[in-house]
Amino acid sequence: MLELAIGIILGGCALGAGCAMIAGIGPGIGEGHAVAKACEAIGRQPECKGDVTTTMLMGCAVAETTGLYALVIAILLIFVAPGRFVEILMNAVG
Amino acid sequence: MSLVFLILSLLSMAAAVAVKVMFVPASEGINITGAHVFFTLKTPIQDLPITEAQVNSWCVILAVMFLCLFLTSGLKTRNISVRQLVAEWIVEKVTTLVRSNMGEFFEGFAPFIAAILGLSAFSSLSSLLGIFPPTSDINIIAGWAILVFILITYYKMKAGPWIYMKSFGQPVPLLAPLNIISEVATPISMAFRHYGNVLSGSIISVLVAVGLTDVSHKIFSFLPGAFSDFPYLRIGVPAILSIYFDLFSGCLQAFIFAMLTMLYVSGGFPAEEYAARKKRRQERAEARAARANAKEQKAEI
């Protein structure tokens, strides 16, 4: 019975980590948009390539933040949470 | 004399490697456990663990300091050396960057921004030596982010605490809780952005290296004896990933951290209110001086 419970905990943590990384879609689309617009801008005004690139990289980094939050949650779920949850279960069972 | 500084700078990085080799237990296969705790200081308030990340970050600080001393030792006005040219180039670039992003008022920020850039870039690049990069520990980055947050708040308060309080009620007072949350979210997002990028790079590198070991065992299993055990695919292939994750991402995140610091500090500064306050104070001081003058003249009469 205890093995089943621990298995459910581990499986839940892995599934949760996978679900959390769905958030990777958003920054991907957003950064793609930003880079596409930057390419257009450089095509229109090649002389301001440096400024456009710097601003684009800044914007990409800020847009990436949500994805990184998801990544941190996923890393916690994989490497930290299982041990904690199993400990809680063991304490509850006694 | 200047060579001594260069050797000291290299020595402090070598010290970090030596500490890692001597005190951190070796591990086999996947092992992502965070920084190794060397020992714990007992203080009255709270136990203070001294971790690998802290020690490495001290080593990086020493290395950057000695590198700066090396670059700036023996400055001359003519017949300048390459070393001095590099130093002048760095100073000029950072000053231009700060002036174009923050304006004339914040020109004194150039050394601070250069320090953040150098420390962050060297910390991320220290993973190339095989030591634990300090930037992949949230505690180190959170310290920097809190420092930047204090700076932001200080410059927002420059025009008086009342104007700072009033800025939370913009555009309508109903949004004050959301404004406070977004204020607190600034250092958190700065810390998580830098730390997440570096940490994800190192985790992906480890996973790829372990995966390549398994694949090469499968492919080369026909070789006799010990030859089949050697992970051939791990030679060179993970280095391609390292170019992106260690070199490019590390430098880019350092630049972005410095850039965001500049933007937040200069963006939050209420320039008009500060100018008005300065003018008011000056007028008051002038009036006081005039009154004192008049009193003096009266007394003389």
Side-chain angles (χ1 to χ4, degrees), chain A residues 58 61 64-65 68-69 71 79, chain B residues 32 189 193 197 200 256 259:
Chain A
M58 278 285 306
E64 219 171 55
T65 313
L68 286 169
Y69 287 160
L71 178 85
F79 294 109
Chain B
I32 302 166
S189 78
R193 182 177 303 123
N197 265 296
S200 69
I256 283 164
M259 203 71 180

Side-chain angles (χ1 to χ4, degrees), chain B residues 141-162:
Chain B
I141 307 288
W144 302 353
I146 288 169
L147 183 67
V148 170
F149 177 68
I150 291 170
L151 265 179
I152 294 170
T153 314
Y154 174 75
Y155 275 97
K156 275 190 178 174
M157 286 221 190
K158 264 262 161 153
W162 174 240

Side-chain angles (χ1 to χ4, degrees), chain A residues 11-24 70 73-75 77-78:
Chain A
C13 284
L15 275 177
C19 290
M21 285 317 290
I22 292 174
I73 298 290
I75 288 172
L77 273 174
I78 290 179

